[in-house]
Amino acid sequence: GLPKSRVLLGSHLLEAVDRYVVVVEGLYDYAMMVQYDLPAVATMHAGLTPRQAEILIDIGKPVFLMYDNDEAGRRANDTAIHRLHNHMPVSAVTYPKQPEQHQAKCPKDPAACSLKQVVKMLTNAKLL
């Protein structure tokens, strides 16, 4: 019964002191961002609906897009950029090109990234 297209998981937990919002796709991605103590929300699908964009616009903080590193994630980035760029700063992350020692391959989603990788991705994100 949850109308996923009309809510952003975690938006009610954002605080006034948060300087930005990390937007991810799914529950596991969101859980990892919370574990890393980052202000995050999850769209619960690969995309950003008009209602979800309104929620982010109302929050009014710069946004870091951290959708999965796949075709659906790239489409979601494009849609989010289109819906948000006139309202707030929007940055998109680039995933690591080399895995860390404990990783068999490069991560393709936030839940597979270490804290070090996530921080580097946010630090090097491209302002769009």
Side-chain angles (χ1 to χ4, degrees):
L2 177 67
K4 292 180 189 176
S5 65
R6 301 190 51 78
V7 298
L8 283 172
L9 178 66
S11 62
H12 67 291
L13 298 174
L14 296 173
E15 299 180 7
V17 297
D18 293 331
R19 295 186 344 255
Y20 58 89
V21 178
V22 178
V23 179
V24 298
E25 283 182 41
L27 178 61
Y28 292 112
D29 302 323
Y30 173 73
M32 190 60 66
M33 296 305 104
V34 169
Q35 181 176 341
Y36 292 156
D37 200 28
L38 294 170
V41 297
T43 58
M44 301 306 290
H45 57 92
L48 183 73
T49 67
R51 177 63 188 128
Q52 290 172 328
E54 288 174 18
I55 294 168
L56 285 170
I57 291 165
D58 287 345
I59 291 168
K61 297 181 185 293
V63 169
F64 286 85
L65 302 174
M66 197 177 287
Y67 287 106
D68 291 358
N69 190 21
D70 58 16
E71 186 57 38
R74 286 185 279 282
R75 284 193 310 270
N77 260 350
D78 292 343
T79 299
I81 292 163
H82 174 74
R83 292 194 169 135
L84 299 174
H85 81 279
N86 286 330
H87 304 281
M88 64 194 51
V90 178
S91 298
V93 303
T94 301
Y95 278 81
K97 303 223 184 295
Q98 297 292 324
E100 289 184 340
Q101 287 182 347
H102 67 279
Q103 295 172 324
K105 58 185 178 177
C106 291
K108 298 270 187 203
D109 62 71
C113 293
S114 69
L115 175 58
K116 178 181 173 183
Q117 288 172 319
V118 170
V119 169
K120 186 173 183 179
M121 290 163 62
L122 293 172
T123 301
N124 296 329
K126 180 181 176 188
L127 181 63
L128 306 169

